[in-house]
């Protein structure tokens, strides 16, 4: 079969077939009386093998080794191809994400595009100062997609930069709440905690809704941030979680403050007092937890809280008794 016919049937151009021949990949078995290349069935089969291997991403040198080296073991080469393909996909995905973010910023001209690109690069800088300046620039007229700010928030370890990013995110609009909600499902604990902290600083009803859902989150730290923030916003759904936090070491001070704020509503004060006293009644709290409970009762009005404090003022642990007695003294002075 002549080279033109081989090219037509195989889809490999005559020029590429000549290139293969020059590399020694495939050599026509015969020549016609006129000196034209004549490919045998075996030659054509080799051409198809070459093309099949090239579709896997093999270089022509690797193709030659695969076809001609009897000791060639494909496993190592395939593993290398998998690695290179993953790297290429990651790079392409990153480029696609960057392009989408630039598009989302709706640039009016190339100057806007260049400013957005510079800001996106600065958000990923190794320099904390550069990242912080980028966060502040995000609210100074430089178009930056909310997705980029959220990604930066979820990955930022420096507390000063993180604070600037959360502030910038709070100015960005309601879209951030849904993106941060996705961050609460991250497999990385630190990302989940950064997400919930950012949500507590978003002054939008959409953020409140996400925080309300977070009250049942399996991560106790997420619940511990969500409940005090909701209490400060007057969300009564947070009371059961806040009662639990008030007697546990960690977020007890914030929880007690939130319960005190909620208890300013007479319709909620009794419910809060009953919840706290119920924790005391189960008899399982240690001295430190009872002391924290006495401190939490300090801001809760009503006779239920006063009776509980009176009982705690006679506690067998001196620290608990002194704390409860002091709280009672303050309550009497307020009256």
């Amino acid at each position: 079969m002549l080279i033109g016919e081989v090219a037509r049937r195989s889809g490999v151009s005559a020029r590429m077939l000549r290139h293969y021949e020059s590399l020694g990949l495939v050599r026509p078995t015969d020549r016609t009386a006129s000196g034209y290349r004549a490919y045998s069935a075996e030659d054509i089969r080799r051409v198809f093998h070459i093309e099949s291997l090239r579709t896997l991403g093999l270089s022509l040198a690797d193709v030659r080794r695969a076809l001609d080296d009897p000791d060639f073991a494909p496993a190592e080469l395939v593993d290398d191809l998998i690695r290179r393909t993953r790297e290429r996909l990651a790079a392409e995905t990153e480029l696609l994400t960057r392009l989408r973010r630039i598009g989302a910023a709706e640039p009016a001209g190339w100057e806007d595009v260049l400013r957005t690109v510079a800001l996106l690069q600065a958000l990923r800088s190794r320099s904390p100062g550069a990242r912080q300046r980028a966060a502040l620039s995000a609210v100074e007229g430089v178009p930056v997609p909310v997705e980029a700010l959220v990604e930066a928030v979820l990955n930022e370890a420096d507390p000063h930069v993180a604070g600037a990013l959360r502030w910038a995110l709070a100015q960005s609009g309601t879209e951030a709440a849904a993106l941060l909600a996705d961050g609460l499902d991250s497999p990385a604990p630190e990302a989940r905690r950064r997400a919930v902290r950012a949500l507590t600083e978003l002054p939008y009803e959409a953020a409140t809704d996400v925080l309300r859902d977070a009250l049942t989150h399996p991560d106790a730290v997420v619940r511990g941030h969500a409940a005090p923030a909701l209490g400060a916003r007057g969300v009564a759904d947070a009371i059961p979680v806040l009662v639990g936090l008030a007697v546990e070491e960690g977020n007890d001070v914030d929880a007690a403050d939130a319960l005190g704020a909620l208890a300013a509503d007479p319709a909620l004060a009794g419910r809060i007092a009953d919840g706290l006293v119920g924790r005391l009644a189960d008899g399982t709290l240690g001295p430190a937890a009872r002391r924290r409970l006495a401190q939490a009762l300090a801001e809760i009005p009503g006779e239920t809280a006063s009776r509980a404090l009176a009982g705690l003022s006679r506690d067998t642990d001196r620290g608990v008794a002194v704390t409860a007695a002091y709280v009672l003294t303050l309550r009497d002075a307020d009256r």
Side-chain angles (χ1 to χ4, degrees):
M1 189 179 296
L2 298 182
I3 189 170
E5 181 68 11
V6 174
R8 186 178 65 81
R9 295 195 177 190
S10 68
V12 181
S13 69
R15 182 177 180 181
M16 185 58 72
L17 289 170
R18 293 188 186 96
H19 182 55
Y20 289 168
E21 183 180 352
S22 69
L23 295 176
L25 275 171
V26 58
R27 294 186 179 89
T29 303
D30 298 310
R31 294 249 177 191
T32 66
S34 304
Y36 293 108
R37 296 171 178 83
Y39 289 78
S40 66
E42 184 60 32
D43 295 334
I44 295 172
R45 190 159 38 247
R46 186 174 173 93
V47 169
F48 281 110
H49 287 165
I50 292 169
E51 292 304 299
S52 295
L53 291 172
R54 286 189 65 195
T55 64
L56 299 178
L58 271 68
S59 67
L60 290 177
D62 288 333
V63 168
R64 183 170 187 172
R65 286 176 53 219
L67 294 177
D68 296 338
D69 185 352
D71 297 325
F72 175 77
E76 183 177 343
L77 180 59
V78 170
D79 288 342
D80 185 57
L81 286 170
I82 291 172
R83 178 187 59 78
R84 282 187 281 168
T85 301
R86 284 175 174 164
E87 290 174 352
R88 186 172 66 254
L89 287 173
E92 292 292 332
T93 300
E94 182 178 352
L95 174 59
L96 179 60
T97 299
R98 186 178 304 173
L99 289 170
R100 284 176 172 168
R101 289 176 177 174
I102 292 172
E106 299 181 351
W110 283 110
E111 288 297 322
D112 286 346
V113 171
L114 293 174
R115 284 197 297 269
T116 302
V117 169
L119 185 56
L120 292 174
Q121 290 175 336
L123 285 172
R124 303 183 67 179
S125 170
R126 292 185 178 182
S127 165
R131 297 196 303 275
Q132 188 171 32
R133 288 191 294 274
L136 298 176
S137 297
V139 292
E140 294 177 356
V142 180
V144 58
V146 177
E147 283 185 2
L149 285 175
V150 170
E151 180 183 10
V153 165
L154 297 182
N155 289 293
E156 185 56 63
D158 186 286
H160 302 293
V161 181
L165 285 167
R166 290 195 301 272
W167 177 77
L169 203 56
Q171 320 305 312
S172 66
T174 60
E175 183 184 352
L179 295 171
L180 288 169
D182 292 338
L184 293 179
D185 294 328
S186 170
E190 284 304 314
R192 295 196 299 269
R193 294 163 194 184
R194 290 166 186 154
V196 72
R197 186 168 181 186
L199 280 162
T200 65
E201 297 182 20
L202 293 184
Y204 308 115
E205 187 61 32
T208 301
D209 291 340
V210 175
L211 288 169
R212 188 182 281 107
D213 291 340
L215 290 173
T216 57
H217 198 283
D219 188 333
V221 176
V222 170
R223 298 195 303 273
H225 280 291
L230 287 169
R233 299 182 189 200
V235 178
D237 291 348
I239 290 175
V241 177
L242 288 170
V243 167
L245 292 172
V247 297
E248 296 170 4
E249 188 174 10
N251 284 35
D252 54 295
V253 174
D254 291 340
D257 289 343
L259 287 171
L262 287 168
D265 181 350
L268 298 178
R271 177 180 167 189
I272 294 169
D274 289 342
L276 291 169
V277 173
R279 290 299 304 267
L280 180 64
D282 67 15
T284 61
L285 297 182
R290 296 198 301 275
R291 186 167 61 251
R292 288 191 291 270
L293 190 144
Q295 291 166 341
L297 286 167
E299 300 296 327
I300 311 303
E303 289 302 316
T304 300
S306 295
R307 286 195 299 271
L309 285 166
L312 287 169
S313 69
R314 299 186 294 273
D315 196 275
T316 55
D317 182 88
R318 178 170 172 76
V320 175
V322 168
T323 299
Y326 177 69
V327 170
L328 279 171
T329 300
L330 292 178
R331 289 168 71 91
D332 289 341
D334 289 341
R335 288 176 181 175

